[in-house]
Amino acid sequence: MCYALVRPAATLLRLRPKQLHRRRLPVSAFSLTSFSSFCGSPMDDRSPATILVLSGKSPREDAVALSLKSRSDTVKLIDEEGAETRVLLGSEADDATFDPRSYMDALSASRFGRFLIWSPKIPSTHDVVSKNFAELPLGTVCVTDLQYKGRGRVKNVWESPIGCLLFSFTLQMEDGRKLPLLQYVVSLAVTEAIKTLCQKKGLPNLDVRIKWPNDLYLNGLKLGGILCTSTYRSKNFNVCAGIGLNLDNEKPTTCLNAALREINPSSVRLSREEVLASFFNKFETFLEIFLTEGFQPLEELYYKTWLHSGQEVVIEEKQEGQPDEKIIVTVQGLTSDGYLLAIDEDDKSYALHPDGNSFDFFKGLVRRKLG
């Protein structure tokens, strides 16, 4: 599984060590030894350095990398107190386990993913791009091999082991009404990127599906997740989107390359570089449609990809002094503001949204009557 959930200390949920499985599998000829002098275990008593390697697709982005390196003391990280941050150029990290050249060669997007920050180990890709939003070009992506202070819903902490594609990137939006739907555009871009990449490489199709609102599933098992956060400044929403996708760590659930091998043992594996490039190529196209025409042109494709059309959901409503009421509704689609649209047995329409407390969205839904 790409993520292992760890609730805040105030909750009752606890995970035993075996649930935080870390099986080291190949990721682009995986090796962290060359950076070992800088990067220790996140549990070490000492404060290891955080390495950030900067790469660009064109001379313009390369100039940004050079400028940022010269001002490396301005890079802000939420990190252990006293930890060192070292900023390197791509040319100074030939033995990096993520290959910027192959990634950039596969990237055709004109705005997104062209400025790359890679780190072998980092607390959170989301923190790198969000805390340095003003210093980085829009569309900057931060990728890491190992993330140990990732972020999830409702202040959950996410442990992200080796074997995953872990990245966060930046964008801006003006229309706050569209903001809640952005995570669906990101989700759809992930599933379509994988589909397109498999077709291009002549590989079997992997039926990656979307579980509302922000999870990715394959063969009934969780494959990854998405988190979008935003801040409002100068009449724009500064958005950071984070994605975790399991490529090589097949325990305890599944991963893309294991699924490919099950279908065809001779299948070549998907690399992080080509999956990331395929995502941005697809996302840029979808985002342009979304910003100019809204989500409606993407709805049909989204509904073909998600898991919930026609799904029956039981809503439990509690009223003081009365027995709990259970109501069965059927999911129809999405409302204009991104909640689930459902109807009951009398064809009355409702918007369903999580109560903010339940780990399983469908066991904590609250209904609001429409019309």
Side-chain angles (χ1 to χ4, degrees):
M1 181 182 292
C2 187
Y3 296 127
L5 177 65
V6 182
R7 290 278 192 179
T11 66
L12 297 178
L13 181 62
R14 296 180 180 176
L15 294 185
R16 297 176 179 176
K18 68 179 181 179
Q19 292 175 278
L20 300 179
H21 185 85
R22 295 182 182 85
R23 183 180 179 186
R24 293 179 179 265
L25 293 174
V27 180
S28 302
F30 211 96
S31 172
L32 296 179
T33 56
S34 300
F35 293 91
S36 60
S37 60
F38 300 116
C39 303
S41 165
M43 302 305 176
D44 287 349
D45 292 334
R46 62 190 174 91
S47 294
T50 296
I51 303 296
L52 302 178
V53 180
L54 313 180
S55 303
K57 183 171 175 63
S58 72
R60 180 179 178 180
E61 287 90 24
D62 286 339
V64 174
L66 187 61
S67 174
L68 190 60
K69 181 187 176 183
S70 68
R71 298 179 289 110
S72 59
D73 58 336
T74 66
V75 177
K76 308 176 188 69
L77 290 173
I78 296 179
D79 204 347
E80 286 79 4
E81 185 176 353
E84 178 189 2
T85 299
R86 293 203 49 176
V87 179
L88 305 175
L89 301 179
S91 59
E92 300 171 323
D94 292 336
D95 48 2
T97 56
F98 186 92
D99 185 359
R101 181 173 299 178
S102 66
Y103 161 68
M104 294 296 180
D105 287 346
L107 181 70
S108 60
S110 61
R111 291 184 293 159
F112 291 95
R114 296 174 63 90
F115 187 76
L116 169 74
I117 303 173
W118 169 79
S119 178
K121 183 182 67 183
I122 206 167
S124 166
T125 59
H126 220 73
D127 286 341
V128 172
V129 295
S130 63
K131 296 299 178 181
N132 298 282
F133 199 101
E135 301 288 334
L136 300 172
L138 283 176
T140 291
V141 59
C142 179
V143 184
T144 189
D145 300 338
L146 178 63
Q147 179 175 258
Y148 56 92
K149 285 188 178 179
R151 300 169 60 183
R153 282 186 72 253
V154 200
K155 298 182 180 180
N156 292 326
V157 177
W158 295 90
E159 184 78 13
S160 308
I162 287 174
C164 302
L165 171 60
L166 307 165
F167 68 99
S168 298
F169 67 98
T170 63
L171 68 150
Q172 276 188 335
M173 292 181 61
E174 294 182 1
D175 190 348
R177 294 170 297 181
K178 293 181 178 179
L179 198 58
L181 295 164
L182 177 65
Q183 62 183 328
Y184 308 141
V185 179
V186 176
S187 301
L188 188 59
V190 173
T191 60
E192 289 300 299
I194 295 170
K195 182 186 302 182
T196 299
L197 188 58
C198 287
Q199 291 174 347
K200 181 179 179 180
K201 295 172 71 69
L203 297 173
N205 180 52
L206 294 175
D207 190 23
V208 180
R209 309 296 294 274
I210 298 168
K211 180 182 178 184
W212 182 87
N214 58 356
D215 285 338
L216 301 168
Y217 271 63
L218 177 63
N219 300 327
L221 299 172
K222 185 172 179 178
L223 185 74
I226 292 156
L227 174 69
C228 295
T229 63
S230 67
T231 57
Y232 186 72
R233 183 172 298 175
S234 302
K235 297 183 180 181
N236 281 302
F237 290 93
N238 295 338
V239 182
C240 296
I243 295 93
L245 185 66
N246 203 349
L247 262 67
D248 287 296
N249 187 3
E250 59 186 291
K251 302 295 184 180
T253 58
T254 190
C255 65
L256 288 176
N257 285 320
L260 281 174
R261 289 193 300 271
E262 289 178 4
I263 299 173
N264 185 351
S266 62
S267 293
V268 297
R269 59 182 296 276
L270 299 177
S271 70
R272 291 182 299 165
E273 292 85 352
E274 58 192 355
V275 173
L276 183 62
S278 183
F279 165 77
F280 281 124
N281 296 342
K282 189 67 65 174
F283 174 74
E284 187 165 280
T285 300
F286 285 172
L287 183 67
E288 184 64 27
I289 295 172
F290 176 58
L291 293 180
T292 56
E293 303 177 50
F295 191 69
Q296 187 173 0
L298 302 173
E299 276 189 343
E300 182 178 355
L301 182 58
Y302 183 84
Y303 293 148
K304 287 181 179 178
T305 308
W306 80 338
L307 296 168
H308 309 299
S309 295
Q311 178 180 353
E312 287 191 346
V313 179
V314 178
I315 308 297
E316 295 184 1
E317 296 193 343
K318 298 181 179 181
Q319 299 183 11
E320 188 174 352
Q322 298 183 17
D324 294 350
E325 181 182 8
K326 293 186 178 181
I327 303 160
I328 298 176
V329 296
T330 303
V331 175
Q332 301 294 301
L334 295 172
T335 66
S336 60
D337 50 3
Y339 293 130
L340 287 179
L341 175 65
I343 59 172
D344 63 13
E345 296 176 345
D346 298 323
D347 288 332
K348 295 179 181 178
S349 297
Y350 298 90
L352 308 181
H353 57 93
D355 64 3
N357 297 314
S358 301
F359 175 59
D360 186 339
F361 288 104
F362 295 91
K363 289 185 179 179
L365 289 172
V366 177
R367 67 172 186 159
R368 174 172 55 87
K369 189 174 180 180
L370 298 177

